[in-house]
Structure formats: structure tokens, C-alpha cells
Amino acid sequence: MAVAQSHTSLHDRHVALGARMGAFAGWDMPLLYDSARDEHLAVRRATGIFDVSHMGQLEVAGAGARDALQGLLTNDVTAIGPGQGQYTLLCQDDGGVIDDLIVYALADRFLLVVNASNIAACRERLEDRLPAGVEVADRSPEVAMLALQGPGWAEALRPLAATPLAFSLDYFEIGEDVIAGVPCLIARTGYTGEPGVELMCPWDAAPAVWDALQDVEAAPAPAGLVARDTLRIEMGYPLYGQELSRGRTPIEAGLRWACDLAGGGFAGADVMRRQTEEGTPERLAIFRLTEPGIPRGGQDVLAGGAPVGRVTSGTLSPVLDTGIGMAYVPSALAGPDNDLVIDVRGKHKAARTARRPLVDTSPKE
């Protein structure tokens, strides 16, 4: 029996555009509209818009909320003030990743934007560890989110913004404005490696924002989850369920930079400090094929003729026109410029590890 999937408030818009829909984390989401390659390149060269309303929105408030989150999240929450955000992770006591997320400090509360598949797990972890007087509220059913991404994002948004606020935000800053008559939280963040914003608005108002963006002269191209995936693989951004899991720590995933190990007393910090000092058997590597082929998740990685790991994510890069991917391999092989072999459907394809990102772009510009 088919499992019922939830719909975002933009579902009818996606269907009307002829999107190929598919199940993702319990949601019926647009995978692509026409050509995932064209959608990918639209984001890299101009502007694309993604419906990411399936993402979770958890609010933490109350006296002591900052200190409580400091003991749960890997990054230094004390470093962000109102109007600022931070990439961070929520971990088990053994350092395994429950979720990677963005925490925003708002005027009177903290907003955690979490992965759709981990909303319940994050809420449960917070409720279990937050002290009396600090409460978590799940706003996910009330909030829709659109990701406007690409070098032309400001040109697309400017005709609809009530004030210049969005265009003065620095990377990982957040503020409030009215877009196409709809009150929105606007965050200078994204998951594509390109500059852009994420617009958070009331659930039922998202269609009005979407329609208004489609009517401007510099209208963004609707983009689906396939392009979102190929964009993040080019950047080497990890995805929960593929590169991140309860069986891996942030150190193994190359996310040491998002862990305040010097002062942090968060869950799993002792394990991560030990891993930093002693090393880990495996680390996440990013690679590109040096001959034609398309790597896919689950394929074997070989070195010296022997299996040494498996691909976690793989695709054909629309920008590089080359097979690329990520894989956990022995730590000695995880750095750049190491030769590997990927078993692509029984054919051995030469590959070489590289530095992140694989494409020359930045979300900060």
C-alpha cells in the first residue's frame, strides 16, 4: 500500500508547471520541472527558486535558552547576536550526528531550521535536554520557506521588497520585511553555494510570494530537488542520511570548523576532541572522475586494487561536465590529490580527491 505524502502549500503550483513529483522525507516534492541540468545552471548563472517548505522550524525560548543551546549544539552559540545565524550540529552523547541545522538568534527567541526527516528527532532531543523555563515549539506546520538562489537573486527580489533590508544583510544574517505584501523572515543563507536568501513566511501565504516572484522581469527559474542535490555536491556540502548520520561524527565528516571544541561542553565534545587529537580511521573525501563516468551513492571505492570505502553521493557535474562525488575513505586518502578508483556499474573509473568546493563560486558575494 502506498504511503500518503504531505503536500506543501505550493503543491498545486508545482503540478501546474508540470513538475515531476517524488517522495522525499514524507513529502511529495518537485524533483525537476523540465531539465535538472538547466535548473542547476540557472542557479549558477542567474537565479533559481526552490520550495523548501518541508524543512523543520523549531523555536526555543525562555530565560537561559542561549546557555541551554550552548550545551547541545556544536558551534559557539554565544558568538551570534540578534539578527545572526550559524551553521551547527545537534549530536548524541557519543558524537553521532542527530542533525545538521542552522540556528538563528532572533530578538526574543532562537529559530532552528532542521532537516525534514529529523524534525521529530530534534524536537525530542531538545525536549529531553532543555531545562525548566526553556521551551521548544514546533512551528513547521505554520511556516513555508522559499530559497531564492543565484547571482541574480537581488534583481528578482527588489521589485517586491517593502524596504532595502534584504539587500543589506551579510551572509548568515536574518531580518524581517514584507515581500509582495507578505511578512517574511529573510535569511542570507542557502544550500547551493551561490548568494541568495531564504524567505520564511506564513504557510498559506507562500503561493502569493511564489506567484509574485514569477511575475517580475528577472523571474527565477523554478528548481527541484535534483538540482538542489547536484548543486550541493559540487560544493561538497554534506547531506543528512548520506554523508551525515548517527554513526558518524562531525570530525569524520570534515566539519571540525563547526565545532567549538576549545570551549564547548556540548554533547559529544569529549569524543570529538579525542578524534581531533588522535585522528579517525576514515574521513569524508570529495573527488572527481578523471575519465568519463557518473558515480552514484553505494558504489565501491578502491585504492591499490582493494575496496576502501563507498560513495555516499555522486552525480555528473553540470558545470564541470565530469563525474563527481563524496565518499568515506581511510583518512590518509581523504586529502586532496590522492588517486582512487570508483566501481561504476562494474567498470573501474579513475578518480582523484580534491579540495572543496569543486566549482569556483561563493555564497558570500
Side-chain angles (χ1 to χ4, degrees), residues 60-143:
V60 177
R66 186 183 294 272
D67 290 341
L69 290 175
Q70 184 75 358
L72 283 168
L73 303 178
T74 61
N75 218 330
D76 183 8
V77 183
T78 67
I80 59 172
Q84 296 179 319
Q86 185 183 73
Y87 177 82
T88 187
L89 300 102
L90 178 66
C91 293
Q92 302 176 141
D93 293 346
D94 65 0
V97 177
I98 297 172
D99 198 25
D100 67 323
L101 57 104
I102 297 178
V103 57
Y104 297 102
L106 305 180
D108 58 350
R109 64 198 187 280
F110 289 88
L111 170 64
L112 279 61
V113 178
V114 305
N115 284 297
S117 59
N118 290 330
I119 297 172
C122 289
R123 185 177 65 241
E124 181 180 347
R125 179 68 165 177
L126 291 168
E127 290 174 341
D128 183 57
R129 294 299 181 95
L130 292 176
V134 180
E135 298 184 350
V136 57
D138 185 358
R139 304 297 186 199
S140 308
E142 307 166 24
V143 181

Side-chain angles (χ1 to χ4, degrees), residues 103-194:
V103 57
Y104 297 102
L106 305 180
D108 58 350
R109 64 198 187 280
F110 289 88
L111 170 64
L112 279 61
V113 178
V114 305
N115 284 297
S117 59
N118 290 330
I119 297 172
C122 289
R123 185 177 65 241
E124 181 180 347
R125 179 68 165 177
L126 291 168
E127 290 174 341
D128 183 57
R129 294 299 181 95
L130 292 176
V134 180
E135 298 184 350
V136 57
D138 185 358
R139 304 297 186 199
S140 308
E142 307 166 24
V143 181
M145 186 160 70
L146 305 180
L148 185 64
Q149 298 284 297
W153 73 270
E155 184 181 358
L157 190 64
R158 188 167 281 111
L160 307 178
T163 77
L165 177 139
F167 316 106
S168 64
L169 294 173
D170 286 333
Y171 189 47
F172 267 79
E173 288 188 341
I174 189 170
E176 296 181 60
D177 201 354
V178 175
I179 304 297
V182 176
C184 295
L185 276 175
I186 305 173
R188 270 282 283 116
T189 49
Y191 193 54
T192 63
E194 295 297 330

Side-chain angles (χ1 to χ4, degrees), residues 7-328:
H7 292 173
T8 76
S9 59
L10 293 166
H11 185 268
D12 290 347
R13 301 300 194 275
H14 304 317
V15 173
L17 287 170
R20 183 186 302 174
M21 307 297 290
F24 182 81
W27 294 83
D28 190 32
M29 298 295 293
L31 303 180
L32 57 94
Y33 294 86
D34 185 18
S35 162
R37 181 181 184 276
D38 289 348
E39 294 163 27
H40 178 116
L41 293 176
V43 174
R44 288 277 182 250
R45 297 170 180 173
T47 320
I49 186 168
F50 301 85
D51 178 9
V52 287
S53 302
H54 61 305
M55 300 288 286
Q57 309 264 343
L58 303 177
E59 293 184 354
V60 177
R66 186 183 294 272
D67 290 341
L69 290 175
Q70 184 75 358
L72 283 168
L73 303 178
T74 61
N75 218 330
D76 183 8
V77 183
T78 67
I80 59 172
Q84 296 179 319
Q86 185 183 73
Y87 177 82
T88 187
L89 300 102
L90 178 66
C91 293
Q92 302 176 141
D93 293 346
D94 65 0
V97 177
I98 297 172
D99 198 25
D100 67 323
L101 57 104
I102 297 178
V103 57
Y104 297 102
L106 305 180
D108 58 350
R109 64 198 187 280
F110 289 88
L111 170 64
L112 279 61
V113 178
V114 305
N115 284 297
S117 59
N118 290 330
I119 297 172
C122 289
R123 185 177 65 241
E124 181 180 347
R125 179 68 165 177
L126 291 168
E127 290 174 341
D128 183 57
R129 294 299 181 95
L130 292 176
V134 180
E135 298 184 350
V136 57
D138 185 358
R139 304 297 186 199
S140 308
E142 307 166 24
V143 181
M145 186 160 70
L146 305 180
L148 185 64
Q149 298 284 297
W153 73 270
E155 184 181 358
L157 190 64
R158 188 167 281 111
L160 307 178
T163 77
L165 177 139
F167 316 106
S168 64
L169 294 173
D170 286 333
Y171 189 47
F172 267 79
E173 288 188 341
I174 189 170
E176 296 181 60
D177 201 354
V178 175
I179 304 297
V182 176
C184 295
L185 276 175
I186 305 173
R188 270 282 283 116
T189 49
Y191 193 54
T192 63
E194 295 297 330
V197 291
E198 294 180 310
L199 309 174
M200 290 163 264
C201 67
W203 185 266
D204 292 338
V209 178
W210 176 279
D211 291 346
L213 282 165
Q214 291 301 294
D215 285 341
V216 301
E217 184 175 353
L225 294 185
V226 175
R228 185 171 158 89
D229 198 48
T230 55
L231 287 159
R232 66 98 189 170
I233 296 174
E234 285 184 342
M235 298 303 294
Y237 292 163
L239 177 66
Y240 196 91
Q242 291 178 241
E243 286 74 39
L244 301 175
S245 70
R246 292 176 182 250
R248 297 284 186 182
T249 72
I251 307 305
E252 292 172 283
L255 297 174
R256 165 67 182 82
W257 60 268
C259 301
D260 177 30
L261 297 183
F266 57 87
D270 289 342
V271 173
M272 295 180 215
R273 277 190 281 267
R274 185 169 63 251
Q275 289 182 329
T276 300
E277 294 169 0
E278 300 176 359
T280 60
E282 294 183 333
R283 297 287 293 271
L284 185 65
I286 189 168
F287 63 84
R288 55 188 299 174
L289 297 189
T290 56
E291 60 179 311
I294 305 176
R296 299 296 186 190
Q299 292 174 344
D300 286 336
V301 180
L302 301 92
V308 294
R310 285 192 174 179
V311 175
T312 54
S313 297
T315 190
L316 178 68
S317 163
V319 171
L320 303 173
D321 197 29
T322 301
I324 62 173
M326 288 181 274
Y328 279 98

